[in-house]
Amino acid sequence: MAVAHAANDYRLGAQAVADGVYVFSGRNEHFTRDNGGNIVNTGFIVGTDAVIVIDTGPSLQYGEQQRKAIAAITRVPVRQVYVTHQHPDHYLGDAAYADASIAALPATISAIQTQGNALADNLYRLVGGWMAGTQSQSPTSTATPGVVEIGGRKLRLIGTAGHTAGDLMVYDEASRTLFAGDLVFHDRAPTTPNADLLQWLNALDQIRQIDFKVLVPGHGAVVRDASAIEQTRDYLQWLSTSLHTAAEQGRDMVEVMNQPLPERFQKLAVHDEEYRRSVSHLYPAIELTTLPRR
Amino acid sequence: MSRARAALLVCALWCAGSLPAHAATAVDTPVDPLNSPSWQYMRQRFLGKDPMVFDARVQVQMPSAAEDQMQVPVHVSAPGLTDVVDVLVFADLNPLPKILRYQPTSAAPDIGFRFKVEQSTPVRAAMRTRDGVWHVGGAWLRASGGGCTAPSVGTGQGFWQDRLGEISARLWPQQPGLERLRLRMIHPMDTGLAAGIPVFHIDRIDMRASDGRLLASLQTYEPVSENPVISVDLQHSGPVRIDAHDIQGNRFAATVTP
């Protein structure tokens, strides 16, 4: 057992991004047996008598190691966990926080209840032994958008949608840090299995209005300006336009997948795979709008 | 790719030596560039003793891994290969390997469609040219399980019962004498492998000119995805009549104007 744990070490090191605000940065990759699913950013905020965790990673072991890494920084106990959305790399470590409140938006909770097991199964297939002991579990409470105060930290919970049906952002007023979840990607192609592009673009408009100093994207390096927002918006706008144009031109799905990406997106990590996956997710509905009923 | 090309070369040599007079040794199947465990059986079942070559001009394009096992997009084409009279598409390791058959009478031998995959498998297109030789190309598809034995989405929702056979389609003129037809039909395309749901699928879609002349004929089998979406390139200008039926004898028809 000890050996297995040593082999599956995520080597989580907390990076301070603001006063009392820390981030664990994942790799800009796909799920592999090498990275164990650590492709995601998670983080925590330290209050006077409570630590608030934002997302718990892809597995029970990640959650446990995250908790240990937090304990190495502060003795203040974790009281509150927020799950930004339903995707398995963001919440499967929840079981490491059985003694804390775990909150998510209602749409996230219902998606986890209906699809959670299938998503966890899929991750087992992709990353293998790192998943040992991991089970999908439903968040214990509903996150209500608005301002909450936990451990003396004033947090604004922002409920939105677009990447999935429920995307929760957490904004720390004192440090002006925004945990944007997967509404913002940075130097990595966005994922779209549950996306509504129009809603997502609207959510990005909303994020632009937020007065943040530090932005923690769901994937990719932390930023202190709007560049990651603009990059995500640029990609999604291009994706939407090019899929609609291809459908209008009568392109078949595979032909659309084979289209080269504009040069500015070729530097995004995993752009090739994610673009093809996005065509699978989004093109069927878009092409139907170009096929009139006879 | 280089392996496939090498194999093609080997088969080309083999065929050059054996055609047409010595085709009796056809059981000496050329080495399968995809190294599939069931290639011998596939060949026997679908091509019989007909002469065949592995031909890199026959392309099966699809993503290398199935994102949605119920809807794997495939585009089959054969740039540079002429006189194709029959196209057969199959997946060696699917429980029901045969996906579709297509006779491009007045059409390019190209076809786009989606299918249900049960596990990782080679997907192949075999194209018979007028001289009787099958030209075979293909690729591996990675998949983790469950496309053929899961019930169709519509079967659970009852949605298809009101709209069975509804046809949506459009023509895109490409150049003089060539137009792309894309069509979508509503049908559950049940494989018969999901518990309690009998086999039920469209089995024929004919495309004709308005004077009744056959442009292309498509036979679809169980693995073709629910609510099939098909793309073909017809050597034709002007309206196309679609005549289709399923294995229970339901007939569906529509006329598409450019």
Side-chain angles (χ1 to χ4, degrees):
Chain A
M1 203 60 195
V3 173
H5 271 188
N8 293 339
D9 186 351
Y10 287 105
R11 297 172 201 280
L12 297 179
Q15 165 203 358
V17 296
D19 185 25
V21 182
Y22 297 83
V23 171
F24 298 103
S25 297
R27 298 196 224 164
N28 265 356
E29 297 173 354
H30 258 301
F31 298 113
T32 65
R33 278 163 200 263
D34 186 42
N35 63 36
N38 182 16
I39 62 166
V40 61
N41 295 336
T42 65
F44 64 100
I45 301 167
V46 182
T48 48
D49 60 354
V51 166
I52 305 103
V53 172
I54 295 102
D55 284 345
T56 59
S59 67
L60 172 63
Q61 289 183 31
Y62 182 102
E64 288 170 348
Q65 291 172 26
Q66 181 192 45
R67 195 162 189 171
K68 262 188 209 148
I70 294 170
I73 302 271
T74 176
R75 286 188 190 171
V76 177
V78 175
R79 302 262 190 229
Q80 179 69 52
V81 172
Y82 288 111
V83 171
T84 58
H85 65 291
Q86 66 172 91
H87 288 157
D89 47 332
H90 294 263
Y91 82 92
L92 285 175
D94 281 5
Y97 298 96
D99 53 346
S101 156
I102 302 176
L105 292 172
T108 304
I109 295 174
S110 91
I112 286 174
Q113 283 167 351
T114 54
Q115 305 156 32
N117 288 332
L119 293 171
D121 286 353
N122 198 31
L123 212 47
Y124 267 86
R125 277 194 289 271
L126 293 168
V127 310
W130 296 83
M131 297 293 290
T134 304
Q135 275 187 317
S136 174
Q137 61 174 51
S138 184
T140 54
S141 66
T142 301
T144 311
V147 176
V148 287
E149 197 172 320
I150 302 169
R153 306 273 318 207
K154 242 191 208 162
L155 304 177
R156 191 146 37 105
L157 304 181
I158 305 159
T160 170
H163 174 65
T164 65
D167 293 301
L168 177 68
M169 295 188 285
V170 179
Y171 178 74
D172 174 54
E173 304 238 333
S175 68
R176 288 162 54 206
T177 302
L178 177 68
F179 285 88
D182 279 6
L183 289 167
V184 179
F185 282 71
H186 186 205
D187 288 343
R188 188 220 194 265
T191 64
T192 59
N194 307 98
D196 178 320
L197 295 185
L198 209 60
Q199 273 188 337
W200 193 342
L201 288 164
N202 287 336
L204 289 172
D205 285 343
Q206 203 183 330
I207 298 173
R208 272 178 175 163
Q209 309 304 316
I210 299 170
D211 176 32
F212 65 84
K213 212 160 87 182
V214 179
L215 184 147
V216 184
H219 301 262
V222 173
V223 281
R224 286 165 195 278
D225 57 25
S227 59
I229 303 172
E230 296 313 320
Q231 190 184 58
T232 304
R233 150 175 285 285
D234 185 21
Y235 180 84
L236 295 177
Q237 190 72 64
W238 167 80
L239 185 63
S240 174
T241 305
S242 70
L243 295 186
H244 280 96
T245 305
E248 259 325 308
Q249 292 171 342
R251 297 291 114 209
D252 185 70
M253 198 153 155
V254 173
E255 293 169 331
V256 181
M257 287 180 174
N258 288 345
Q259 283 181 174
L261 270 73
E263 208 174 312
R264 65 187 188 280
F265 300 131
Q266 304 214 1
K267 63 169 186 175
L268 302 183
V270 296
H271 62 268
D272 211 34
E273 288 144 292
E274 288 302 353
Y275 168 65
R276 286 169 180 235
R277 291 183 69 212
S278 290
V279 176
S280 276
H281 304 145
L282 304 169
Y283 199 61
I286 292 172
E287 72 185 349
L288 273 191
T289 65
T290 69
L291 300 175
R293 184 164 170 196
R294 302 290 173 173
Chain B
M1 195 62 205
S2 61
R3 221 173 104 199
R5 204 163 277 156
L8 169 66
L9 197 66
V10 171
C11 328
L13 290 171
W14 178 86
C15 271
S18 63
L19 279 180
H22 310 295
T25 56
V27 279
D28 301 329
T29 304
V31 177
D32 173 20
L34 298 181
N35 196 20
S36 159
S38 55
W39 166 244
Q40 296 288 349
Y41 173 56
M42 289 297 120
R43 186 195 169 176
Q44 206 176 52
R45 175 170 168 188
F46 294 124
L47 313 183
K49 289 184 173 171
D50 294 352
M52 62 86 46
V53 289
F54 289 111
D55 189 333
R57 287 175 295 181
V58 177
Q59 293 179 4
V60 175
Q61 293 192 303
M62 61 190 170
S64 58
E67 175 66 14
D68 178 353
Q69 311 228 135
M70 306 282 283
Q71 298 272 349
V72 181
V74 181
H75 192 257
V76 164
S77 61
L81 187 64
T82 51
D83 282 339
V84 174
V85 293
D86 202 358
V87 178
L88 179 66
V89 183
F90 56 93
D92 295 22
L93 302 180
N94 236 13
L96 300 159
K98 188 154 65 163
I99 301 170
L100 61 81
R101 190 156 194 155
Y102 180 54
Q103 294 84 38
T105 316
S106 286
D110 307 2
I111 184 163
F113 60 94
R114 289 169 214 159
F115 84 108
K116 296 170 283 228
V117 70
E118 183 70 12
Q119 62 172 52
S120 294
T121 176
V123 181
R124 315 213 193 229
M127 298 195 181
R128 192 160 56 83
T129 38
R130 208 172 296 284
D131 58 6
V133 177
W134 288 98
H135 299 255
V136 180
W140 272 91
L141 172 69
R142 268 185 295 124
S144 49
C148 275
T149 49
S152 62
V153 178
T155 299
Q157 296 171 339
F159 148 89
W160 62 269
Q161 291 164 10
D162 300 328
R163 298 173 62 189
L164 183 74
E166 184 182 299
I167 297 175
S168 299
R170 183 163 154 192
L171 286 166
W172 280 269
Q174 307 284 303
Q175 45 184 281
L178 185 70
E179 61 188 7
R180 165 157 296 188
L181 171 66
R182 301 201 74 213
L183 71 93
R184 180 255 209 168
M185 295 182 65
I186 292 183
H187 205 285
M189 301 297 284
D190 286 309
T191 60
L193 298 180
I197 303 170
V199 57
F200 182 40
H201 62 85
I202 296 167
D203 60 346
R204 189 176 189 99
I205 304 172
D206 285 338
M207 290 150 266
R208 297 175 185 279
S210 21
D211 61 8
R213 185 170 50 90
L214 190 64
L215 299 170
S217 179
L218 173 64
Q219 296 91 59
T220 49
Y221 301 98
E222 295 88 338
V224 171
S225 293
E226 176 179 12
N227 304 330
V229 177
I230 310 281
S231 305
V232 291
D233 295 313
L234 305 171
Q235 285 149 2
H236 178 66
S237 302
V240 173
R241 223 178 71 206
I242 298 166
D243 288 304
H245 57 72
D246 65 23
I247 62 166
Q248 289 194 3
N250 297 302
R251 306 195 81 88
F252 318 108
T255 298
V256 193
T257 45

